[in-house]
Amino acid sequence: MNERIKENLYRVKANIAEACARVGRNPANVTLIAVTKDAEPTVIRSLMDLDHEHFGESKPQELTRRNALICEAMQRRIELPGLMADPRPVIRPKWHMIGHLQRNKVKAILPVVDYIHSVDSLRLAEEINTAAARLGLEKKVKILLQVNTSEEPQKQGLAVGALIPLAEQIKTLPNIQVCGLMTMAALSDNPENSRFCFGRLRELFEEMKGERITGPEFRHISMGMSQDYQVAIEEGATMVRVGTALFGERKPQPEI
Ligand SMILES: *Cc1c(COP(=O)(O)O)cnc(C)c1O
């Protein structure tokens, strides 16, 4: 067991509980998604041994690669029961695709992914719909629509005004279920600066529910990262995506 990851997990969970208490919410209604990025597989396993189930990846190739590594390790545990006297059932990680998704990567992740948070165009939704049919998936693909609430031009996500028209169009695609909305706030050292974006996503969510653009499965608001997940919870997040606060600082990524 990696002790540091255990401490980090407990601290993040305690912070989630505190944020919920401040606004009278039940922590059971907030899903913590551990964003793995370049975290080591052994650290991911440590989290799973602590009964953590939800993981997020921003790159499709990483998502499928890590899933295969973890499932293989789990399989070994089943085949060698004497080595691990662990009576708990084997859990499978639940994967959340949270980063930009190119259409040619859709087919590879669909069999593995639980939620796709980053749908921001009709073309991508159509690709998901067609690929799901071709793969003969039994369940509808659960997606969230990503909204650019900060209105920074370089940000991924739908313009606020494009959200409802897109949701109406996606309704006609039989293999997709729109389960909620996702946003990223502008980067800032002060979590309070994210509150405006988060409040805006929550308003859009309520508006879509109120106008019955979506069904009962529309119930998720994915917002908040290491720097601002507590503010996100105060503003109504049901899913927070936390990397650094669990796994530590990442290696610097090359500028794209
Ligand atoms: C990396 C990433 C996160 C987590 O970021 P941290 O600041 O490390 O918590 C959350 N959401 C998305 C879309 C990401 O790419």
Side-chain angles (χ1 to χ4, degrees):
M1 173 56 61
N2 179 320
E3 288 302 321
R4 191 177 57 95
I5 194 81
K6 187 170 170 181
E7 272 171 32
N8 289 351
L9 179 66
Y10 290 173
R11 192 180 53 244
V12 170
K13 282 188 168 173
N15 289 341
I16 289 174
E18 265 176 34
C20 284
R22 283 197 288 276
V23 291
R25 295 187 58 199
N26 181 349
N29 295 331
V30 179
T31 302
L32 171 63
I33 299 171
V35 177
T36 45
K37 292 191 180 161
D38 56 12
E40 297 293 333
T42 53
V43 181
I44 299 176
R45 284 297 307 282
S46 286
L47 271 189
M48 295 184 71
D49 288 340
L50 294 163
D51 290 331
H52 189 80
E53 266 194 295
H54 291 269
F55 294 89
E57 257 304 331
S58 54
K59 295 194 185 126
Q61 307 90 307
E62 282 299 309
L63 192 151
T64 45
R65 194 177 70 85
R66 277 162 200 280
N67 181 64
L69 279 174
I70 291 167
C71 290
E72 193 194 315
M74 285 285 173
Q75 193 60 38
R76 280 202 298 274
R77 187 170 128 181
I78 300 170
E79 285 164 4
L80 302 171
L83 286 185
M84 267 229 193
D86 186 344
R88 289 178 303 174
V90 169
I91 51 167
R92 301 259 166 225
K94 292 203 160 87
W95 285 105
H96 297 252
M97 175 65 207
I98 61 172
H100 179 61
L101 181 58
Q102 286 172 306
R103 283 179 295 146
N104 62 1
K105 300 282 165 37
V106 166
K107 205 169 65 189
I109 66 159
L110 278 193
V112 176
V113 81
D114 206 40
Y115 282 89
I116 301 175
H117 291 226
S118 43
V119 176
D120 62 359
S121 74
L122 184 60
R123 290 171 77 197
L124 177 58
E126 283 172 341
E127 179 66 35
I128 294 170
N129 186 60
T130 315
R134 274 203 218 106
L135 289 167
L137 297 184
E138 280 166 25
K139 288 195 221 144
K140 292 188 181 201
V141 182
K142 294 183 280 187
I143 67 158
L144 310 183
L145 299 175
Q146 182 173 355
V147 187
N148 181 1
T149 50
S150 68
E151 293 182 349
E152 295 169 288
Q154 74 277 19
K155 270 266 164 69
Q156 307 284 341
L158 290 153
V160 169
L163 171 65
I164 290 180
L166 179 65
E168 302 266 17
Q169 285 174 304
I170 290 181
K171 240 171 141 172
T172 64
L173 303 176
N175 304 316
I176 291 188
Q177 196 156 61
V178 180
C179 296
L181 303 179
M182 182 271 223
T183 202
M184 288 175 87
L187 278 184
S188 156
D189 290 337
N190 181 357
E192 281 304 321
N193 291 345
S194 304
R195 197 178 288 280
F196 176 77
C197 288
F198 295 161
R200 199 151 189 212
L201 194 70
R202 167 72 183 269
E203 277 167 23
L204 291 165
F205 174 85
E206 299 293 351
E207 186 184 340
M208 287 173 70
K209 263 193 121 55
E211 292 181 13
R212 299 182 191 283
I213 292 161
T214 46
E217 66 285 348
F218 186 75
R219 56 196 175 80
H220 282 297
I221 306 181
S222 166
M223 58 190 185
M225 318 196 335
S226 292
Q227 54 156 352
D228 53 18
Y229 63 94
Q230 287 142 293
V231 171
I233 289 167
E234 289 170 12
E235 296 295 326
T238 66
M239 292 171 162
V240 291
R241 310 178 307 267
V242 177
T244 315
L246 289 171
F247 298 108
E249 290 294 333
R250 285 184 289 276
K251 291 171 243 152
Q253 300 276 324
E255 291 287 325
I256 304 165

